Amino acid sequence: MIVPNIKILRSNYGYLAAILSISLLTACASNKKVAENRRSKPTYHKRERSQPRTDNYRSNVPNATTAPVEKVIATARSFTGVPYRWGGTTRAGMDCSGLLMTCFQAADLNLPRTTSEQVKVGKGVRLYDLQPGDLVFFAAKKSNPNKVTHVGMVTEVRDKHDVRFIHASTKLGVVENNIYTDYYRRIFIKARRPF
């Protein structure tokens, strides 16, 4: 049986331990300098104009350019104060679905004339995912809470509890309101993203 020399092993382990401790100390120091340099000198990479945006940017209107939606909203706001008139689509008076149909036509987008047809357009959207251009539908009659009788369009999302929509109110004409008021939350039924 071969017995290793204990003195040689101890000296080799001591030598290895010294090398490891020195390499760890230098590695830690160099990492610290790299981390300090990264904090003090941020680097910014220029993005080529032709490259698509790949960060967490969230467009106001996904799957569509914002220009038509902005035009629809600007047209709708130009009708602010126009009185309510059932079946109306002009500045002399308009109803809720007539307002939206007229505004979408201004951006060369076709939207059906009646609320019962507009509620079938596009795809469903949750209340907390509303964006400008989305249609919001309400049941204005307590006798039939599931029947859609009123429509508006989201114009601005200020924060999670302040979402403005424009509509033709029977009492006030064309106005903007916050959908998160008690009254509108109570009669809200669904939302649709038309395009």
Side-chain angles (χ1 to χ4, degrees), residues 28 32 37 55 57 65 68 77-78 89-91 95 98-100 102 111 115 119 125 129 154 160 165 170 178 190:
C28 292
K32 188 175 181 182
N37 286 340
D55 56 4
Y57 174 77
T65 60
R77 285 178 166 162
S78 74
T89 58
T90 67
R91 293 193 183 278
D95 63 13
L99 168 68
L100 298 185
T102 302
L111 192 68
T115 305
V119 77
V125 181
D129 286 331
V154 176
K160 64 180 182 178
F165 72 103
T170 54
N178 181 3
K190 64 174 72 176

PDB file of all heavy atoms in Angstrom, residues 28 32 37 55 57 65 68 77-78 89-91 95 98-100 102 111 115 119 125 129 154 160 165 170 178 190:
ATOM      1  N   CYS A  28     -13.589  39.744  -8.297  1.00  0.00           N
ATOM      2  CA  CYS A  28     -14.594  40.586  -7.648  1.00  0.00           C
ATOM      3  C   CYS A  28     -14.312  42.059  -7.894  1.00  0.00           C
ATOM      4  O   CYS A  28     -15.206  42.841  -8.144  1.00  0.00           O
ATOM      5  CB  CYS A  28     -14.629  40.317  -6.146  1.00  0.00           C
ATOM      6  SG  CYS A  28     -15.266  38.685  -5.755  1.00  0.00           S
ATOM      7  N   LYS A  32     -16.711  44.687  -9.907  1.00  0.00           N
ATOM      8  CA  LYS A  32     -17.188  45.902  -9.251  1.00  0.00           C
ATOM      9  C   LYS A  32     -16.953  47.104 -10.147  1.00  0.00           C
ATOM     10  O   LYS A  32     -17.801  47.975 -10.300  1.00  0.00           O
ATOM     11  CB  LYS A  32     -16.484  46.070  -7.906  1.00  0.00           C
ATOM     12  CG  LYS A  32     -17.041  47.188  -7.062  1.00  0.00           C
ATOM     13  CD  LYS A  32     -16.372  47.217  -5.717  1.00  0.00           C
ATOM     14  CE  LYS A  32     -16.972  48.334  -4.875  1.00  0.00           C
ATOM     15  NZ  LYS A  32     -16.317  48.444  -3.573  1.00  0.00           N
ATOM     16  N   ASN A  37     -18.952  51.274 -13.815  1.00  0.00           N
ATOM     17  CA  ASN A  37     -18.922  51.911 -15.135  1.00  0.00           C
ATOM     18  C   ASN A  37     -20.289  51.875 -15.798  1.00  0.00           C
ATOM     19  O   ASN A  37     -20.692  52.815 -16.455  1.00  0.00           O
ATOM     20  CB  ASN A  37     -17.883  51.241 -16.030  1.00  0.00           C
ATOM     21  CG  ASN A  37     -16.470  51.608 -15.637  1.00  0.00           C
ATOM     22  OD1 ASN A  37     -16.264  52.609 -14.957  1.00  0.00           O
ATOM     23  ND2 ASN A  37     -15.505  50.801 -16.041  1.00  0.00           N
ATOM     24  N   ASP A  55     -39.661  47.232 -27.923  1.00  0.00           N
ATOM     25  CA  ASP A  55     -39.748  47.374 -26.476  1.00  0.00           C
ATOM     26  C   ASP A  55     -41.196  47.210 -26.023  1.00  0.00           C
ATOM     27  O   ASP A  55     -42.040  46.747 -26.766  1.00  0.00           O
ATOM     28  CB  ASP A  55     -39.163  48.713 -26.021  1.00  0.00           C
ATOM     29  CG  ASP A  55     -39.850  49.889 -26.714  1.00  0.00           C
ATOM     30  OD1 ASP A  55     -40.804  49.639 -27.463  1.00  0.00           O
ATOM     31  OD2 ASP A  55     -39.430  51.034 -26.494  1.00  0.00           O
ATOM     32  N   TYR A  57     -43.547  49.231 -25.696  1.00  0.00           N
ATOM     33  CA  TYR A  57     -44.402  50.323 -26.128  1.00  0.00           C
ATOM     34  C   TYR A  57     -45.799  49.809 -26.402  1.00  0.00           C
ATOM     35  O   TYR A  57     -45.975  48.793 -27.067  1.00  0.00           O
ATOM     36  CB  TYR A  57     -43.818  50.941 -27.404  1.00  0.00           C
ATOM     37  CG  TYR A  57     -44.681  51.987 -28.032  1.00  0.00           C
ATOM     38  CD1 TYR A  57     -44.760  53.264 -27.501  1.00  0.00           C
ATOM     39  CD2 TYR A  57     -45.423  51.687 -29.149  1.00  0.00           C
ATOM     40  CE1 TYR A  57     -45.553  54.217 -28.090  1.00  0.00           C
ATOM     41  CE2 TYR A  57     -46.220  52.640 -29.745  1.00  0.00           C
ATOM     42  CZ  TYR A  57     -46.271  53.897 -29.217  1.00  0.00           C
ATOM     43  OH  TYR A  57     -47.065  54.846 -29.798  1.00  0.00           O
ATOM     44  N   THR A  65     -53.429  52.144 -37.437  1.00  0.00           N
ATOM     45  CA  THR A  65     -52.687  53.378 -37.249  1.00  0.00           C
ATOM     46  C   THR A  65     -53.537  54.316 -36.425  1.00  0.00           C
ATOM     47  O   THR A  65     -54.760  54.263 -36.451  1.00  0.00           O
ATOM     48  CB  THR A  65     -52.352  54.021 -38.606  1.00  0.00           C
ATOM     49  OG1 THR A  65     -53.575  54.287 -39.282  1.00  0.00           O
ATOM     50  CG2 THR A  65     -51.483  53.114 -39.447  1.00  0.00           C
ATOM     51  N   PRO A  68     -56.382  57.488 -38.286  1.00  0.00           N
ATOM     52  CA  PRO A  68     -57.836  57.440 -38.487  1.00  0.00           C
ATOM     53  C   PRO A  68     -58.616  57.584 -37.184  1.00  0.00           C
ATOM     54  O   PRO A  68     -59.644  58.257 -37.158  1.00  0.00           O
ATOM     55  CB  PRO A  68     -58.078  56.063 -39.112  1.00  0.00           C
ATOM     56  CG  PRO A  68     -56.785  55.647 -39.683  1.00  0.00           C
ATOM     57  CD  PRO A  68     -55.742  56.282 -38.816  1.00  0.00           C
ATOM     58  N   ARG A  77     -65.684  65.205 -31.403  1.00  0.00           N
ATOM     59  CA  ARG A  77     -65.602  66.359 -30.500  1.00  0.00           C
ATOM     60  C   ARG A  77     -66.096  67.647 -31.156  1.00  0.00           C
ATOM     61  O   ARG A  77     -66.557  68.553 -30.468  1.00  0.00           O
ATOM     62  CB  ARG A  77     -64.170  66.525 -29.998  1.00  0.00           C
ATOM     63  CG  ARG A  77     -63.819  65.486 -28.940  1.00  0.00           C
ATOM     64  CD  ARG A  77     -62.395  65.619 -28.468  1.00  0.00           C
ATOM     65  NE  ARG A  77     -62.174  64.845 -27.237  1.00  0.00           N
ATOM     66  CZ  ARG A  77     -60.993  64.489 -26.793  1.00  0.00           C
ATOM     67  NH1 ARG A  77     -59.891  64.840 -27.461  1.00  0.00           N
ATOM     68  NH2 ARG A  77     -60.877  63.795 -25.676  1.00  0.00           N
ATOM     69  N   SER A  78     -66.018  67.711 -32.472  1.00  0.00           N
ATOM     70  CA  SER A  78     -66.517  68.911 -33.165  1.00  0.00           C
ATOM     71  C   SER A  78     -68.044  69.015 -33.066  1.00  0.00           C
ATOM     72  O   SER A  78     -68.604  70.084 -33.289  1.00  0.00           O
ATOM     73  CB  SER A  78     -66.082  68.909 -34.630  1.00  0.00           C
ATOM     74  OG  SER A  78     -66.832  67.973 -35.397  1.00  0.00           O
ATOM     75  N   THR A  89     -78.363  62.739 -37.902  1.00  0.00           N
ATOM     76  CA  THR A  89     -76.948  62.537 -38.216  1.00  0.00           C
ATOM     77  C   THR A  89     -76.269  63.849 -38.628  1.00  0.00           C
ATOM     78  O   THR A  89     -75.205  63.832 -39.233  1.00  0.00           O
ATOM     79  CB  THR A  89     -76.774  61.511 -39.357  1.00  0.00           C
ATOM     80  OG1 THR A  89     -77.483  61.968 -40.502  1.00  0.00           O
ATOM     81  CG2 THR A  89     -77.255  60.132 -38.950  1.00  0.00           C
ATOM     82  N   THR A  90     -76.879  64.987 -38.314  1.00  0.00           N
ATOM     83  CA  THR A  90     -76.330  66.282 -38.719  1.00  0.00           C
ATOM     84  C   THR A  90     -76.151  67.186 -37.503  1.00  0.00           C
ATOM     85  O   THR A  90     -76.560  66.845 -36.389  1.00  0.00           O
ATOM     86  CB  THR A  90     -77.262  66.986 -39.726  1.00  0.00           C
ATOM     87  OG1 THR A  90     -78.484  67.327 -39.059  1.00  0.00           O
ATOM     88  CG2 THR A  90     -77.563  66.087 -40.924  1.00  0.00           C
ATOM     89  N   ARG A  91     -75.619  68.388 -37.745  1.00  0.00           N
ATOM     90  CA  ARG A  91     -75.414  69.351 -36.664  1.00  0.00           C
ATOM     91  C   ARG A  91     -76.734  69.907 -36.128  1.00  0.00           C
ATOM     92  O   ARG A  91     -76.773  70.477 -35.047  1.00  0.00           O
ATOM     93  CB  ARG A  91     -74.504  70.481 -37.126  1.00  0.00           C
ATOM     94  CG  ARG A  91     -73.106  69.975 -37.389  1.00  0.00           C
ATOM     95  CD  ARG A  91     -72.105  71.094 -37.540  1.00  0.00           C
ATOM     96  NE  ARG A  91     -70.797  70.534 -37.873  1.00  0.00           N
ATOM     97  CZ  ARG A  91     -69.946  70.038 -36.997  1.00  0.00           C
ATOM     98  NH1 ARG A  91     -70.249  70.046 -35.728  1.00  0.00           N
ATOM     99  NH2 ARG A  91     -68.793  69.547 -37.371  1.00  0.00           N
ATOM    100  N   ASP A  95     -78.538  61.287 -32.935  1.00  0.00           N
ATOM    101  CA  ASP A  95     -78.634  60.303 -31.854  1.00  0.00           C
ATOM    102  C   ASP A  95     -77.271  59.637 -31.676  1.00  0.00           C
ATOM    103  O   ASP A  95     -76.318  59.932 -32.404  1.00  0.00           O
ATOM    104  CB  ASP A  95     -79.764  59.305 -32.108  1.00  0.00           C
ATOM    105  CG  ASP A  95     -79.564  58.455 -33.356  1.00  0.00           C
ATOM    106  OD1 ASP A  95     -78.447  58.442 -33.922  1.00  0.00           O
ATOM    107  OD2 ASP A  95     -80.524  57.789 -33.770  1.00  0.00           O
ATOM    108  N   GLY A  98     -75.970  57.536 -34.655  1.00  0.00           N
ATOM    109  CA  GLY A  98     -75.766  58.442 -35.783  1.00  0.00           C
ATOM    110  C   GLY A  98     -74.482  59.243 -35.622  1.00  0.00           C
ATOM    111  O   GLY A  98     -73.755  59.484 -36.597  1.00  0.00           O
ATOM    112  N   LEU A  99     -74.185  59.659 -34.400  1.00  0.00           N
ATOM    113  CA  LEU A  99     -72.945  60.382 -34.128  1.00  0.00           C
ATOM    114  C   LEU A  99     -71.745  59.539 -34.520  1.00  0.00           C
ATOM    115  O   LEU A  99     -70.846  59.996 -35.233  1.00  0.00           O
ATOM    116  CB  LEU A  99     -72.868  60.750 -32.642  1.00  0.00           C
ATOM    117  CG  LEU A  99     -71.516  61.261 -32.129  1.00  0.00           C
ATOM    118  CD1 LEU A  99     -71.184  62.626 -32.721  1.00  0.00           C
ATOM    119  CD2 LEU A  99     -71.510  61.315 -30.609  1.00  0.00           C
ATOM    120  N   LEU A 100     -71.729  58.298 -34.073  1.00  0.00           N
ATOM    121  CA  LEU A 100     -70.580  57.438 -34.348  1.00  0.00           C
ATOM    122  C   LEU A 100     -70.463  57.097 -35.818  1.00  0.00           C
ATOM    123  O   LEU A 100     -69.365  57.113 -36.382  1.00  0.00           O
ATOM    124  CB  LEU A 100     -70.642  56.176 -33.489  1.00  0.00           C
ATOM    125  CG  LEU A 100     -70.586  56.416 -31.984  1.00  0.00           C
ATOM    126  CD1 LEU A 100     -70.535  55.105 -31.241  1.00  0.00           C
ATOM    127  CD2 LEU A 100     -69.416  57.288 -31.602  1.00  0.00           C
ATOM    128  N   THR A 102     -71.411  58.859 -38.366  1.00  0.00           N
ATOM    129  CA  THR A 102     -70.954  60.070 -39.061  1.00  0.00           C
ATOM    130  C   THR A 102     -69.464  60.309 -38.831  1.00  0.00           C
ATOM    131  O   THR A 102     -68.730  60.649 -39.766  1.00  0.00           O
ATOM    132  CB  THR A 102     -71.764  61.286 -38.571  1.00  0.00           C
ATOM    133  OG1 THR A 102     -73.146  61.032 -38.808  1.00  0.00           O
ATOM    134  CG2 THR A 102     -71.352  62.552 -39.283  1.00  0.00           C
ATOM    135  N   LEU A 111     -69.183  52.187 -40.475  1.00  0.00           N
ATOM    136  CA  LEU A 111     -69.774  51.677 -39.244  1.00  0.00           C
ATOM    137  C   LEU A 111     -71.274  51.618 -39.478  1.00  0.00           C
ATOM    138  O   LEU A 111     -71.851  52.558 -40.031  1.00  0.00           O
ATOM    139  CB  LEU A 111     -69.442  52.616 -38.083  1.00  0.00           C
ATOM    140  CG  LEU A 111     -69.732  52.104 -36.679  1.00  0.00           C
ATOM    141  CD1 LEU A 111     -68.779  50.952 -36.333  1.00  0.00           C
ATOM    142  CD2 LEU A 111     -69.552  53.211 -35.661  1.00  0.00           C
ATOM    143  N   THR A 115     -77.418  51.054 -33.266  1.00  0.00           N
ATOM    144  CA  THR A 115     -76.706  50.494 -32.115  1.00  0.00           C
ATOM    145  C   THR A 115     -76.730  48.973 -32.135  1.00  0.00           C
ATOM    146  O   THR A 115     -75.729  48.325 -31.837  1.00  0.00           O
ATOM    147  CB  THR A 115     -77.338  51.016 -30.807  1.00  0.00           C
ATOM    148  OG1 THR A 115     -77.344  52.433 -30.842  1.00  0.00           O
ATOM    149  CG2 THR A 115     -76.574  50.558 -29.597  1.00  0.00           C
ATOM    150  N   VAL A 119     -73.044  46.919 -32.253  1.00  0.00           N
ATOM    151  CA  VAL A 119     -72.596  46.038 -31.171  1.00  0.00           C
ATOM    152  C   VAL A 119     -72.022  44.720 -31.706  1.00  0.00           C
ATOM    153  O   VAL A 119     -71.343  43.992 -30.979  1.00  0.00           O
ATOM    154  CB  VAL A 119     -73.745  45.770 -30.167  1.00  0.00           C
ATOM    155  CG1 VAL A 119     -74.742  44.766 -30.713  1.00  0.00           C
ATOM    156  CG2 VAL A 119     -73.214  45.344 -28.814  1.00  0.00           C
ATOM    157  N   VAL A 125     -63.840  43.801 -25.960  1.00  0.00           N
ATOM    158  CA  VAL A 125     -62.759  44.376 -25.158  1.00  0.00           C
ATOM    159  C   VAL A 125     -63.233  44.459 -23.716  1.00  0.00           C
ATOM    160  O   VAL A 125     -64.389  44.807 -23.464  1.00  0.00           O
ATOM    161  CB  VAL A 125     -62.410  45.803 -25.657  1.00  0.00           C
ATOM    162  CG1 VAL A 125     -61.271  46.394 -24.841  1.00  0.00           C
ATOM    163  CG2 VAL A 125     -62.055  45.801 -27.121  1.00  0.00           C
ATOM    164  N   ASP A 129     -59.358  47.389 -20.403  1.00  0.00           N
ATOM    165  CA  ASP A 129     -58.460  47.435 -21.561  1.00  0.00           C
ATOM    166  C   ASP A 129     -58.904  48.465 -22.599  1.00  0.00           C
ATOM    167  O   ASP A 129     -58.424  48.456 -23.731  1.00  0.00           O
ATOM    168  CB  ASP A 129     -58.396  46.059 -22.238  1.00  0.00           C
ATOM    169  CG  ASP A 129     -57.574  45.067 -21.443  1.00  0.00           C
ATOM    170  OD1 ASP A 129     -56.653  45.508 -20.734  1.00  0.00           O
ATOM    171  OD2 ASP A 129     -57.850  43.862 -21.528  1.00  0.00           O
ATOM    172  N   VAL A 154     -64.875  55.756 -26.822  1.00  0.00           N
ATOM    173  CA  VAL A 154     -63.797  56.195 -25.940  1.00  0.00           C
ATOM    174  C   VAL A 154     -62.948  57.237 -26.673  1.00  0.00           C
ATOM    175  O   VAL A 154     -62.523  57.022 -27.807  1.00  0.00           O
ATOM    176  CB  VAL A 154     -62.919  55.005 -25.492  1.00  0.00           C
ATOM    177  CG1 VAL A 154     -61.736  55.475 -24.661  1.00  0.00           C
ATOM    178  CG2 VAL A 154     -63.748  53.993 -24.727  1.00  0.00           C
ATOM    179  N   LYS A 160     -56.594  54.532 -14.872  1.00  0.00           N
ATOM    180  CA  LYS A 160     -57.445  53.342 -14.810  1.00  0.00           C
ATOM    181  C   LYS A 160     -58.851  53.608 -14.271  1.00  0.00           C
ATOM    182  O   LYS A 160     -59.718  52.762 -14.401  1.00  0.00           O
ATOM    183  CB  LYS A 160     -56.773  52.231 -14.013  1.00  0.00           C
ATOM    184  CG  LYS A 160     -56.545  52.544 -12.556  1.00  0.00           C
ATOM    185  CD  LYS A 160     -55.874  51.373 -11.871  1.00  0.00           C
ATOM    186  CE  LYS A 160     -55.682  51.648 -10.398  1.00  0.00           C
ATOM    187  NZ  LYS A 160     -55.070  50.517  -9.707  1.00  0.00           N
ATOM    188  N   PHE A 165     -65.529  59.053 -22.631  1.00  0.00           N
ATOM    189  CA  PHE A 165     -66.187  58.616 -23.862  1.00  0.00           C
ATOM    190  C   PHE A 165     -67.157  59.702 -24.297  1.00  0.00           C
ATOM    191  O   PHE A 165     -67.680  60.478 -23.492  1.00  0.00           O
ATOM    192  CB  PHE A 165     -66.908  57.274 -23.664  1.00  0.00           C
ATOM    193  CG  PHE A 165     -68.149  57.335 -22.835  1.00  0.00           C
ATOM    194  CD1 PHE A 165     -69.407  57.307 -23.430  1.00  0.00           C
ATOM    195  CD2 PHE A 165     -68.083  57.406 -21.447  1.00  0.00           C
ATOM    196  CE1 PHE A 165     -70.563  57.352 -22.660  1.00  0.00           C
ATOM    197  CE2 PHE A 165     -69.231  57.457 -20.667  1.00  0.00           C
ATOM    198  CZ  PHE A 165     -70.474  57.432 -21.271  1.00  0.00           C
ATOM    199  N   THR A 170     -79.576  62.088 -24.366  1.00  0.00           N
ATOM    200  CA  THR A 170     -80.921  62.599 -24.671  1.00  0.00           C
ATOM    201  C   THR A 170     -81.186  63.940 -24.015  1.00  0.00           C
ATOM    202  O   THR A 170     -81.906  64.769 -24.558  1.00  0.00           O
ATOM    203  CB  THR A 170     -82.007  61.589 -24.235  1.00  0.00           C
ATOM    204  OG1 THR A 170     -81.807  61.263 -22.864  1.00  0.00           O
ATOM    205  CG2 THR A 170     -81.969  60.337 -25.092  1.00  0.00           C
ATOM    206  N   ASN A 178     -67.050  60.440 -17.998  1.00  0.00           N
ATOM    207  CA  ASN A 178     -66.171  59.391 -17.495  1.00  0.00           C
ATOM    208  C   ASN A 178     -67.000  58.118 -17.324  1.00  0.00           C
ATOM    209  O   ASN A 178     -68.020  58.118 -16.633  1.00  0.00           O
ATOM    210  CB  ASN A 178     -65.556  59.818 -16.156  1.00  0.00           C
ATOM    211  CG  ASN A 178     -64.607  58.784 -15.585  1.00  0.00           C
ATOM    212  OD1 ASN A 178     -64.343  57.746 -16.184  1.00  0.00           O
ATOM    213  ND2 ASN A 178     -64.098  59.067 -14.401  1.00  0.00           N
ATOM    214  N   LYS A 190     -71.060  46.215 -22.458  1.00  0.00           N
ATOM    215  CA  LYS A 190     -69.903  45.658 -23.136  1.00  0.00           C
ATOM    216  C   LYS A 190     -69.180  46.723 -23.925  1.00  0.00           C
ATOM    217  O   LYS A 190     -69.683  47.820 -24.123  1.00  0.00           O
ATOM    218  CB  LYS A 190     -70.284  44.499 -24.048  1.00  0.00           C
ATOM    219  CG  LYS A 190     -71.200  44.886 -25.198  1.00  0.00           C
ATOM    220  CD  LYS A 190     -71.439  43.734 -26.176  1.00  0.00           C
ATOM    221  CE  LYS A 190     -72.331  42.683 -25.576  1.00  0.00           C
ATOM    222  NZ  LYS A 190     -72.659  41.611 -26.513  1.00  0.00           N
TER     223      LYS A 190
END
